[in-house]
Amino acid sequence: MSGTQTPSELPGEGVPAAQKSSWTSFVKSIVSFSGDLSSLTAPPFILSPISLTEFPAYWCERPALFAAIADAKDEKERSIAVLKWFISTLKGQYTSRNEKLGSEKKPLNPVLGELFYGFWPDINGRGQTNLVVEQVSHHPPITAYYISNPSKGLSLQGHSAQKTSFSSGSIVVKQIGHAILTVDLPGGGKEEFLITLPRLRIDGIWYGSPYIELTGVSYIQSSSGWLSTIDYEAKEGRGYFGLSIGAKSHFFKATLTPPGSSTPVKKFDGLWHETSKDSDTGETFTDVRTPKEEVTVGPIEQMADFESRKLWQHVARGIREGDYELASREKSKIENEQRQRRRDEQAAGTRWPLKHFEHIESDPVYERLGKLFNATPPKEDTYVYMRNRDFPPSA
């Protein structure tokens, strides 16, 4: 870079002085690595104190919006409600950790069989929303989840995995997986929504202050035929002579098209981490500047050994307190135990049994709804929740 560099532009500016050596080695390993970057070991300072197994909670940190889907009066209103809820989840999923930790951090890589349970209590008649998460694969890492609000007749089942690579100074993350939202209708039927996932680009690696930007397009396809298309690389508008204005960070445009048509009947745009509006009326569509609602979990002392917060408690404490030696030592201890467990299973000719989910090679709902918008790939596997977890009753 030519000219005078500002502090935020200096390579390694966001790295603690004691960690600069490990950060430099990490960056060099990224640049020279070929294959999936998820197998690389990150230096402790860039680690989050939260396991990836907790991430599905971000789907429902605005539980009132999730519950409101069930109150929509018709198919069009339901599709708008689903889109509004989905856009409102993006800040929690992709930027809220920057606000807490100063920059994007690499989540702890879950162990096979790791579990996370939680719920959001019934407030003002919205119903209780429950969460079950299980790490169903370690290589590659795959997280399965099930979110339900029984009193509202809502359930979300999905799984996610990531394939990461390095390109032009950024880490590129292809999210693999999808979610199926099922809405029980008053007449006894049901409506299903296939939700695909955006791609991610992680910038700021050189400076030790990573942050996430969403890229590409994702879709929400209803079994009623309504389709929401969310474009994360859209330009904000047009300037003089029709020239496009550069895309703002976290900007999106979304369209809603009815069954059998390619002409949108509703359009929305804005910043998914702040506010968005109806493109035609200017009316506010989403506003996520208000505090989110954290998931409620039980006390650590009552958790089983494989529940996330108990499993990683000492690693998390080391990261939060800046004791990276403790974090590294405890992390290595867990990882070595897992390697030995896999060796023992291989010697005995056994496999780790899944607790809450069953693997299905091809998801029939994905295939059926994906055909309506030519989803890529045309088929995907899935993990079906076995409905074998009890939750505390609503207060």
Side-chain angles (χ1 to χ4, degrees):
M1 180 180 295
S2 60
T4 303
Q5 293 176 311
T6 64
S8 61
E9 293 174 330
L10 293 171
E13 182 67 25
V15 182
Q19 298 291 316
K20 285 189 182 292
S21 175
S22 61
W23 171 80
T24 301
S25 298
F26 179 60
V27 171
K28 287 180 179 178
S29 65
I30 290 176
V31 175
S32 61
F33 192 82
S34 62
D36 189 350
L37 294 175
S38 61
S39 61
L40 286 179
T41 299
F45 84 89
I46 208 170
L47 289 176
S48 163
I50 300 171
S51 167
L52 195 61
T53 308
E54 292 197 33
F55 275 41
Y58 294 126
W59 280 105
C60 223
E61 289 183 326
R62 298 185 185 273
L65 288 179
F66 184 62
I69 295 168
D71 300 328
K73 304 304 181 186
D74 56 34
E75 295 167 349
K76 179 183 177 182
E77 278 195 21
R78 262 191 303 278
S79 283
I80 293 174
V82 172
L83 176 61
K84 182 175 184 176
W85 158 73
F86 175 77
I87 295 298
S88 297
T89 71
L90 298 177
K91 178 181 180 180
Q93 295 195 60
Y94 302 116
T95 69
S96 65
R97 296 179 298 283
N98 292 10
E99 298 169 359
K100 283 185 177 181
L101 303 171
S103 67
E104 185 60 35
K105 302 295 184 182
K106 183 183 184 297
L108 297 168
N109 194 18
V111 304
L112 178 61
E114 187 173 327
L115 303 165
F116 185 70
Y117 306 119
F119 69 96
W120 293 263
D122 182 6
I123 299 175
N124 298 327
R126 72 186 185 192
Q128 178 170 303
T129 301
N130 303 317
L131 170 68
V132 178
V133 187
E134 181 175 3
Q135 191 68 15
V136 294
S137 174
H138 185 67
H139 290 298
I142 302 173
T143 308
Y145 51 89
Y146 184 80
I147 299 171
S148 63
N149 184 327
S151 68
K152 288 289 188 177
L154 298 170
S155 63
L156 181 77
Q157 178 176 276
H159 71 282
S160 60
Q162 296 80 30
K163 283 190 175 180
T164 55
S165 58
F166 187 77
S167 177
S168 302
S170 300
I171 294 178
V172 178
V173 182
K174 178 184 178 182
Q175 296 202 95
I176 299 169
H178 62 275
I180 302 293
L181 173 66
T182 302
V183 183
D184 293 335
L185 303 177
K190 65 180 179 180
E191 187 174 357
E192 296 165 315
F193 295 82
L194 166 60
I195 303 170
T196 67
L197 307 175
R199 292 191 177 211
L200 317 178
R201 189 184 68 246
I202 304 176
D203 296 324
I205 300 297
W206 298 122
Y207 310 111
S209 299
Y211 63 92
I212 284 179
E213 189 57 80
L214 303 184
T215 67
V217 178
S218 69
Y219 302 92
I220 305 174
Q221 176 67 65
S222 168
S223 56
S224 67
W226 287 88
L227 174 66
S228 294
T229 303
I230 306 105
D231 185 350
Y232 305 97
E233 296 183 13
K235 304 299 181 184
E236 187 176 8
R238 295 279 169 179
Y240 292 109
F241 309 112
L243 297 175
S244 63
I245 300 172
K248 263 189 178 181
S249 180
H250 306 338
F251 185 76
F252 79 94
K253 284 187 177 181
T255 59
L256 179 67
T257 54
S261 172
S262 59
T263 303
V265 296
K266 296 291 289 184
K267 297 178 182 179
F268 306 94
D269 67 82
L271 303 177
W272 48 259
H273 71 308
E274 292 183 354
T275 63
S276 65
K277 68 182 187 306
D278 184 307
S279 305
D280 296 320
T281 68
E283 182 181 355
T284 297
F285 183 52
T286 59
D287 185 347
V288 292
R289 294 173 299 179
T290 56
K292 61 185 181 180
E293 186 176 334
E294 300 281 356
V295 64
T296 299
V297 300
I300 285 182
E301 52 271 19
Q302 294 179 15
M303 293 181 180
D305 290 343
F306 266 59
E307 291 189 52
S308 277
R309 293 193 182 178
K310 184 170 185 177
L311 178 69
W312 296 102
Q313 60 180 318
H314 301 303
V315 178
R317 179 165 59 86
I319 293 171
R320 289 190 173 102
E321 295 177 357
D323 187 345
Y324 298 121
E325 183 178 342
L326 170 66
S328 181
R329 184 173 65 248
E330 292 294 331
K331 182 171 176 286
S332 295
K333 179 180 175 182
I334 292 171
E335 291 169 344
N336 289 335
E337 287 175 352
Q338 288 304 300
R339 293 187 187 101
Q340 185 59 51
R341 193 182 299 270
R342 300 289 84 79
R343 285 193 289 266
D344 292 344
E345 290 171 354
Q346 187 174 17
T350 60
R351 296 184 64 180
W352 180 268
L354 299 185
K355 185 178 181 68
H356 295 300
F357 293 88
E358 178 184 2
H359 183 234
I360 304 296
E361 287 294 337
S362 181
D363 184 350
V365 181
Y366 177 94
E367 187 174 354
R368 170 166 46 86
L369 297 185
K371 287 179 180 178
L372 300 180
F373 66 99
N374 297 319
T376 302
K379 295 183 180 182
E380 271 198 355
D381 65 346
T382 190
Y383 290 83
V384 177
Y385 177 55
M386 294 190 285
R387 302 177 184 273
N388 56 356
R389 168 72 180 178
D390 293 326
F391 286 90
S394 297

